[in-house]
């Protein structure tokens, strides 16, 4: 037996295809011949027909090699399973990790590869040879075994499914791609309806549907029960267990140990980035991520806000977003709840008022104490306060942002922001909306009396203008356009210049024109 | 009037002393600095303003330069006012810039000239009414700019003495008055001393101190008026 069984298999497979094609061609030519034969003598014609039929029958018999193949495969499988049906048998790796060598024959018989002999995939092995291969660790072993798949499932065929494109990219960048992570090994099932491992879920839930606890090194416990109803209701209902729980399958259940529940949750959150990489890259710029990087393990990760099995798309309910943030930011939550925005949200479930993520964004949350964030606050407020459709409902003016931007602080801030893109850094902060109106506790101005507003405003002015006098807040016209009622002095001066400027310019130009004209006319 | 020869055959008339020449050059420099740093703040949205602000090192640096030029301008105006007041009151300097009755006569005469009734424009020996008009507009406008400028520079201090509304009002005055003076200089003064057919291409007298006698002849040939005679009398002493 010079050929390895695998090679033999491929030759048989190829032969079958050729024989099939050949047989079909002959069938057609036989029909054609019979038509031509009818022109000749009947005896010869009958003899030739019988000859063809016998020949075709022989070919058809030959074209069903799976009989023989299955028999051979069955024989081999029996031989392998003599040892590999042993449930407690494992292969150990130098780093102490191990993989079970048990093969579930029932699952194997149900798999799409049921007709293949073991050696079709496990090419290093045969009935006569069982090499003792050495691997550094389990990962190396899995990568090596995964190579077997690529013998039959060529890159071209794999690529024909768009879902694999990301994996090729990953492979291109040097990362290992292991087929069995998604398709499982011996129990590989036909992929239908995009549901890779439907059966796998049921397998996992045989234990995980019940209350069980996971123990951490620091003595903490955690339930590992999966609420099936919640999971079936989640957007991930079509995702298989092992799609997220990387390295786990019907065959494998590594015993991983974590120092604490928090480290377990942090490591679990890493799973999400495999599919939601866009969100992950946003998070990597966020203050929560930099907190995590600096060693603050209590910084929130994906699953802290979105949950795990009952994963929640937070865009569904604005109230629930606020509740999520409250878990850590309860102090700010209390202030917000009393504000004009917060009270409208809680009392009327108002859809127009901003919630946490409208200003802070959901994933790429910036440090709110940074000057970059501070300088962009007018943009945040103007999202609603320049929108006539929203402001119209509440009788609010949309000119507030415009009047701010036209005044000293707004103009300076605009220039600072332009400079920040270049090489200059402003050495002082500029007052923005929140510096006068407050941040989370913004209250309605129209309800308060003028004196209180002025008193409060003076306090705000004091932050930067330390010696601000009682008159000082009046320097700001409170977003109002000057008029005879609001700021008569400013209004009169403005009107005077509106009249003077064109009069003077026209007068001067007229004078110049007359001067030139008369000079030449009188020469 | 002092007659003299600078060089060559041309005869010249002395018009300005070295002090006035330096004063005018300082005024040009400060006016240019204030206009550049001020107008770029007024029209901050324009690309050219933003380029200038970037070149000068950011808006804070532009404001610093504007304040510096403003302070120097204040000094220039202060010395001008004080020195001339002292000179006129105690040293019998010719108050040649003071507006007098003849200026109104000249202005009326010029209206007649421009509508074609009179043949020749009004001519006045030393400073005509147009020159006086622009002088006073720039001097009074300049003082207005100084006052409002200081209010805007020190708003907190200003509100100790004035109501808060003075600050936005000062801003309106400062920005509009600046524009007014700028246009006055850009349209009228530049025309009068550069493009006017009388002086084209440039009336150099404010830089060299002398006017060509030939060019000034029309003014010199004018018959004496009462005020002029008095002035000349004063000058002879």
């Amino acid at each position: 037996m010079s050929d390895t069984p695998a090679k033999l298999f491929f030759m048989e497979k190829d032969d079958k295809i050729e024989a099939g094609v050949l047989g079909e061609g002959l069938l057609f030519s036989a029909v054609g011949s019979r038509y031509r034969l009818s022109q000749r003598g009947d005896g010869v014609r009958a003899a030739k027909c019988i000859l063809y039929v016998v020949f075709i029958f022989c070919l058809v018999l030959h074209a069903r090699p799976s009989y023989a193949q299955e028999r051979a495969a069955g024989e081999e499988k029996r031989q392998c399973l003599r040892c590999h049906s042993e449930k407690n048998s494992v292969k150990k790796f130098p780093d102490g990790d191990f993989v079970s060598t048990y093969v579930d024959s029932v699952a194997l018989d149900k798999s799409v590869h049921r007709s293949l002999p073991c050696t079709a995939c496990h090419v290093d092995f045969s009935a006569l040879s069982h090499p003792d291969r050495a691997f550094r660790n389990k990962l190396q072993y899995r990568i090596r075994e995964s190579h077997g798949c690529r013998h039959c499932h060529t890159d071209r065929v794999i690529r024909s499914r768009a879902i694999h494109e990301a994996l090729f990219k990953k492979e291109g960048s040097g990362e290992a791609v292991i087929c069995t992570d998604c398709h499982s090994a011996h129990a590989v099932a036909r992929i239908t309806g995009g549901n890779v491992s439907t059966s796998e879920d049921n397998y996992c839930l045989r234990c995980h549907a019940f209350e069980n606890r996971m123990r951490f090194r620091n003595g903490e416990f955690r339930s590992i029960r999966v609420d099936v109803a919640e999971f079936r209701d989640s957007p991930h209902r079509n995702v298989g267990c092992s799609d997220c729980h990387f390295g786990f399958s019907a065959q494998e259940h590594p015993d991983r140990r974590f120092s604490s529940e928090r480290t377990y949750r942090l490591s679990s959150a890493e799973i999400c980035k495999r599919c939601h990489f866009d969100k992950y890259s946003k998070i990597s710029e966020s203050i929560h991520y930099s907190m995590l990087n600096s060693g603050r393990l209590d910084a929130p990760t994906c699953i802290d806000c979105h949950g795990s099995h009952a994963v929640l798309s937070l865009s569904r309910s604005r109230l629930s977003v606020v509740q999520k943030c409250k878990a850590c930011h309860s102090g700010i939550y209390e202030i917000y709840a009393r504000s004009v925005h917060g009270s409208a949200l809680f009392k009327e479930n108002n859809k127009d008022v901003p919630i946490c993520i409208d200003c802070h964004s959901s994933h790429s949350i910036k440090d709110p104490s940074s000057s970059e964030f501070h300088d962009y606050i007018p943009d945040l407020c103007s999202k609603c306060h320049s929108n006539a459709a929203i402001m119209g409902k509440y009788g609010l003016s949309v000119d507030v942002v415009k009047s701010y931007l036209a005044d000293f602080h707004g103009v300076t801030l605009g220039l600072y922001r332009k400079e920040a893109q270049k090489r200059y850094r402003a050495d002082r902060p500029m007052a923005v909306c929140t510096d006068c109106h407050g941040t989370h506790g913004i209250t309605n101005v129209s309800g308060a009396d003028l004196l209180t507003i002025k008193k409060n405003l003076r306090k705000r002015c004091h932050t930067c203008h330390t010696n601000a006098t009682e008159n000082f807040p009046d320097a700001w016209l409170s977003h109002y356009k000057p008029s005879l009622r609001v700021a008569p002095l400013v209004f009169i001066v403005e009107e005077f210049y509106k009249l003077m400027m064109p009069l003077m310019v026209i007068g001067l130009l007229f004078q110049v024109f007359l001067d030139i004209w008369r000079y030449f006319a009188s020469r | 009037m002092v007659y003299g020869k600078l060089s060559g055959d041309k005869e010249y008339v002395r018009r300005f002393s070295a002090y006035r020449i330096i004063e005018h050059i300082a005024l040009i420099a400060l006016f240019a600095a204030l206009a550049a740093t001020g107008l770029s703040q007024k029209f901050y949205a324009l690309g050219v303003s933003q380029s200038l602000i970037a070149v000068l090192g950011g808006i804070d640096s532009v404001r610093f330069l504007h304040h510096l030029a403003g302070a120097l301008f204040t000094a220039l105006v202060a010395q001008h006012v004080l020195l001339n007041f002292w000179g006129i009151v105690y040293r019998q300097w010719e108050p040649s810039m003071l507006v007098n009755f003849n200026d109104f006569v000249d202005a009326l005469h010029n209206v007649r000239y421009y509508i074609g009734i009179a043949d020749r424009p009004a001519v006045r020996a030393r400073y005509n009414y147009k020159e006086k008009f622009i002088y006073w507009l720039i001097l009074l406008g300049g003082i207005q700019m100084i006052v409002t400028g200081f209010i805007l520079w020190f708003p907190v201090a200003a509100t100790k003495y004035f109501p808060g509304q003075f600050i936005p009002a000062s801003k309106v005055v400062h920005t509009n008055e600046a524009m007014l003076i700028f246009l006055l200089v850009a349209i009228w003064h530049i025309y009068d001393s550069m493009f006017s057919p009388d002086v084209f291409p440039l009336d150099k007298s404010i830089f060299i101190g002398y006017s060509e006698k030939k060019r000034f002849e029309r003014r010199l040939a004018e018959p004496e008026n009462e005020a002029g005679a008095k002035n000349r009398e004063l000058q002879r002493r």
Side-chain angles (χ1 to χ4, degrees), chain B residues 8 14 30 32 44 62 69 76 86-87 100 104 127 134 137 170 179 190 198 237:
Chain B
R14 178 89 193 183
L30 291 175
Y44 61 91
V62 168
L76 184 71
W86 173 80
N100 55 40
F104 294 98
Y127 299 115
I134 195 153
L137 251 178
S170 294
M179 210 53 219
I190 297 292
D198 278 334
R237 269 190 229 158

mmCIF file of all heavy atoms in Angstrom, chain B residues 8 14 30 32 44 62 69 76 86-87 100 104 127 134 137 170 179 190 198 237:
data_model
loop_
_atom_site.group_PDB
_atom_site.id
_atom_site.type_symbol
_atom_site.label_atom_id
_atom_site.label_comp_id
_atom_site.label_asym_id
_atom_site.label_seq_id
_atom_site.Cartn_x
_atom_site.Cartn_y
_atom_site.Cartn_z
ATOM 1 N N GLY B 8 18.262 121.158 -7.124
ATOM 2 C CA GLY B 8 17.921 121.485 -8.514
ATOM 3 C C GLY B 8 17.353 122.882 -8.633
ATOM 4 O O GLY B 8 17.556 123.737 -7.781
ATOM 5 N N ARG B 14 7.871 125.580 2.146
ATOM 6 C CA ARG B 14 7.904 124.786 3.383
ATOM 7 C C ARG B 14 6.481 124.642 3.922
ATOM 8 O O ARG B 14 5.797 125.642 4.109
ATOM 9 C CB ARG B 14 8.774 125.502 4.423
ATOM 10 C CG ARG B 14 8.861 124.803 5.766
ATOM 11 C CD ARG B 14 9.982 123.816 5.795
ATOM 12 N NE ARG B 14 9.874 122.930 6.964
ATOM 13 C CZ ARG B 14 10.766 122.017 7.259
ATOM 14 N NH1 ARG B 14 11.827 121.844 6.490
ATOM 15 N NH2 ARG B 14 10.619 121.242 8.307
ATOM 16 N N LEU B 30 0.818 103.239 13.113
ATOM 17 C CA LEU B 30 -0.151 102.764 14.109
ATOM 18 C C LEU B 30 -1.517 102.509 13.479
ATOM 19 O O LEU B 30 -2.196 101.561 13.833
ATOM 20 C CB LEU B 30 -0.273 103.785 15.249
ATOM 21 C CG LEU B 30 0.985 103.885 16.122
ATOM 22 C CD1 LEU B 30 0.849 104.990 17.141
ATOM 23 C CD2 LEU B 30 1.253 102.556 16.823
ATOM 24 N N ALA B 32 -2.042 101.535 10.417
ATOM 25 C CA ALA B 32 -1.951 100.273 9.678
ATOM 26 C C ALA B 32 -2.020 99.091 10.643
ATOM 27 O O ALA B 32 -2.730 98.113 10.398
ATOM 28 C CB ALA B 32 -0.661 100.231 8.880
ATOM 29 N N TYR B 44 -13.720 88.263 11.220
ATOM 30 C CA TYR B 44 -12.974 87.058 11.583
ATOM 31 C C TYR B 44 -13.309 85.851 10.720
ATOM 32 O O TYR B 44 -12.550 84.905 10.634
ATOM 33 C CB TYR B 44 -13.224 86.706 13.046
ATOM 34 C CG TYR B 44 -14.676 86.420 13.353
ATOM 35 C CD1 TYR B 44 -15.169 85.133 13.268
ATOM 36 C CD2 TYR B 44 -15.560 87.441 13.701
ATOM 37 C CE1 TYR B 44 -16.505 84.863 13.518
ATOM 38 C CE2 TYR B 44 -16.893 87.186 13.949
ATOM 39 C CZ TYR B 44 -17.354 85.899 13.854
ATOM 40 O OH TYR B 44 -18.672 85.631 14.084
ATOM 41 N N VAL B 62 -2.950 88.441 18.463
ATOM 42 C CA VAL B 62 -3.469 89.560 17.666
ATOM 43 C C VAL B 62 -4.058 90.620 18.602
ATOM 44 O O VAL B 62 -3.824 91.820 18.424
ATOM 45 C CB VAL B 62 -4.544 89.052 16.676
ATOM 46 C CG1 VAL B 62 -5.290 90.210 16.047
ATOM 47 C CG2 VAL B 62 -3.911 88.203 15.603
ATOM 48 N N ALA B 69 -0.683 98.556 20.045
ATOM 49 C CA ALA B 69 -0.785 99.642 19.067
ATOM 50 C C ALA B 69 -1.771 100.695 19.567
ATOM 51 O O ALA B 69 -1.554 101.898 19.385
ATOM 52 C CB ALA B 69 -1.223 99.093 17.719
ATOM 53 N N LEU B 76 0.177 108.925 21.254
ATOM 54 C CA LEU B 76 0.370 109.845 20.123
ATOM 55 C C LEU B 76 -0.700 110.948 20.137
ATOM 56 O O LEU B 76 -0.389 112.132 19.992
ATOM 57 C CB LEU B 76 0.298 109.046 18.815
ATOM 58 C CG LEU B 76 0.582 109.818 17.535
ATOM 59 C CD1 LEU B 76 2.058 110.165 17.445
ATOM 60 C CD2 LEU B 76 0.160 109.015 16.311
ATOM 61 N N TRP B 86 -0.895 123.572 24.342
ATOM 62 C CA TRP B 86 0.139 124.391 25.000
ATOM 63 C C TRP B 86 0.710 125.418 24.017
ATOM 64 O O TRP B 86 0.840 126.584 24.322
ATOM 65 C CB TRP B 86 1.236 123.444 25.517
ATOM 66 C CG TRP B 86 2.442 124.136 26.058
ATOM 67 C CD1 TRP B 86 2.564 124.692 27.298
ATOM 68 C CD2 TRP B 86 3.688 124.340 25.384
ATOM 69 N NE1 TRP B 86 3.815 125.228 27.455
ATOM 70 C CE2 TRP B 86 4.528 125.024 26.275
ATOM 71 C CE3 TRP B 86 4.168 124.002 24.115
ATOM 72 C CZ2 TRP B 86 5.838 125.386 25.954
ATOM 73 C CZ3 TRP B 86 5.470 124.356 23.788
ATOM 74 C CH2 TRP B 86 6.285 125.040 24.708
ATOM 75 N N GLY B 87 0.994 124.958 22.809
ATOM 76 C CA GLY B 87 1.592 125.834 21.798
ATOM 77 C C GLY B 87 0.671 126.985 21.436
ATOM 78 O O GLY B 87 1.098 128.140 21.347
ATOM 79 N N ASN B 100 -12.993 127.993 10.919
ATOM 80 C CA ASN B 100 -13.465 129.370 11.012
ATOM 81 C C ASN B 100 -14.550 129.640 9.970
ATOM 82 O O ASN B 100 -14.908 128.739 9.195
ATOM 83 C CB ASN B 100 -12.302 130.361 10.889
ATOM 84 C CG ASN B 100 -11.510 130.116 9.624
ATOM 85 O OD1 ASN B 100 -12.094 129.828 8.584
ATOM 86 N ND2 ASN B 100 -10.188 130.190 9.729
ATOM 87 N N PHE B 104 -16.798 127.619 6.018
ATOM 88 C CA PHE B 104 -18.187 127.457 5.580
ATOM 89 C C PHE B 104 -18.420 128.183 4.261
ATOM 90 O O PHE B 104 -19.112 127.687 3.382
ATOM 91 C CB PHE B 104 -19.145 127.968 6.661
ATOM 92 C CG PHE B 104 -19.091 127.134 7.911
ATOM 93 C CD1 PHE B 104 -18.340 127.527 9.004
ATOM 94 C CD2 PHE B 104 -19.770 125.921 7.950
ATOM 95 C CE1 PHE B 104 -18.272 126.740 10.130
ATOM 96 C CE2 PHE B 104 -19.704 125.129 9.086
ATOM 97 C CZ PHE B 104 -18.956 125.533 10.181
ATOM 98 N N TYR B 127 -4.572 125.519 5.006
ATOM 99 C CA TYR B 127 -5.389 124.296 5.060
ATOM 100 C C TYR B 127 -6.788 124.651 4.633
ATOM 101 O O TYR B 127 -7.403 125.564 5.188
ATOM 102 C CB TYR B 127 -5.432 123.725 6.478
ATOM 103 C CG TYR B 127 -4.064 123.342 6.986
ATOM 104 C CD1 TYR B 127 -3.487 124.005 8.061
ATOM 105 C CD2 TYR B 127 -3.362 122.303 6.376
ATOM 106 C CE1 TYR B 127 -2.235 123.653 8.516
ATOM 107 C CE2 TYR B 127 -2.104 121.948 6.829
ATOM 108 C CZ TYR B 127 -1.540 122.633 7.903
ATOM 109 O OH TYR B 127 -0.314 122.276 8.332
ATOM 110 N N ILE B 134 -11.168 116.392 7.500
ATOM 111 C CA ILE B 134 -10.617 115.063 7.729
ATOM 112 C C ILE B 134 -9.763 115.040 8.993
ATOM 113 O O ILE B 134 -9.743 114.063 9.750
ATOM 114 C CB ILE B 134 -9.863 114.544 6.479
ATOM 115 C CG1 ILE B 134 -9.627 113.046 6.616
ATOM 116 C CG2 ILE B 134 -8.544 115.238 6.268
ATOM 117 C CD1 ILE B 134 -9.525 112.366 5.298
ATOM 118 N N LEU B 137 -12.180 114.870 11.907
ATOM 119 C CA LEU B 137 -12.873 113.575 11.956
ATOM 120 C C LEU B 137 -11.942 112.503 12.518
ATOM 121 O O LEU B 137 -12.340 111.685 13.339
ATOM 122 C CB LEU B 137 -13.345 113.171 10.562
ATOM 123 C CG LEU B 137 -14.842 113.227 10.347
ATOM 124 C CD1 LEU B 137 -15.183 112.844 8.922
ATOM 125 C CD2 LEU B 137 -15.582 112.323 11.320
ATOM 126 N N SER B 170 -20.186 100.170 23.589
ATOM 127 C CA SER B 170 -18.816 100.542 23.204
ATOM 128 C C SER B 170 -18.344 99.689 22.047
ATOM 129 O O SER B 170 -17.640 100.163 21.158
ATOM 130 C CB SER B 170 -17.862 100.340 24.369
ATOM 131 O OG SER B 170 -18.173 101.235 25.389
ATOM 132 N N MET B 179 -14.608 101.357 11.192
ATOM 133 C CA MET B 179 -14.958 101.171 9.780
ATOM 134 C C MET B 179 -15.105 102.535 9.092
ATOM 135 O O MET B 179 -14.648 102.734 7.970
ATOM 136 C CB MET B 179 -16.293 100.415 9.753
ATOM 137 C CG MET B 179 -16.506 99.527 8.576
ATOM 138 S SD MET B 179 -15.179 98.398 8.345
ATOM 139 C CE MET B 179 -15.125 98.462 6.581
ATOM 140 N N ILE B 190 -6.797 109.060 0.763
ATOM 141 C CA ILE B 190 -5.937 108.463 -0.264
ATOM 142 C C ILE B 190 -6.179 109.151 -1.614
ATOM 143 O O ILE B 190 -5.253 109.447 -2.361
ATOM 144 C CB ILE B 190 -6.193 106.927 -0.368
ATOM 145 C CG1 ILE B 190 -5.829 106.234 0.953
ATOM 146 C CG2 ILE B 190 -5.440 106.312 -1.533
ATOM 147 C CD1 ILE B 190 -4.375 106.210 1.318
ATOM 148 N N ASP B 198 -4.698 117.141 -8.891
ATOM 149 C CA ASP B 198 -3.817 118.204 -8.406
ATOM 150 C C ASP B 198 -2.463 117.661 -7.983
ATOM 151 O O ASP B 198 -1.445 118.331 -8.141
ATOM 152 C CB ASP B 198 -4.459 118.896 -7.192
ATOM 153 C CG ASP B 198 -5.473 119.926 -7.639
ATOM 154 O OD1 ASP B 198 -5.300 120.430 -8.765
ATOM 155 O OD2 ASP B 198 -6.435 120.181 -6.880
ATOM 156 N N ARG B 237 5.805 137.328 13.360
ATOM 157 C CA ARG B 237 6.336 137.791 14.639
ATOM 158 C C ARG B 237 7.455 136.892 15.137
ATOM 159 O O ARG B 237 7.424 135.697 14.909
ATOM 160 C CB ARG B 237 5.211 137.792 15.665
ATOM 161 C CG ARG B 237 4.509 139.135 15.697
ATOM 162 C CD ARG B 237 3.570 139.174 16.882
ATOM 163 N NE ARG B 237 2.263 139.632 16.457
ATOM 164 C CZ ARG B 237 1.154 139.379 17.151
ATOM 165 N NH1 ARG B 237 1.198 138.654 18.250
ATOM 166 N NH2 ARG B 237 0.011 139.849 16.750
#
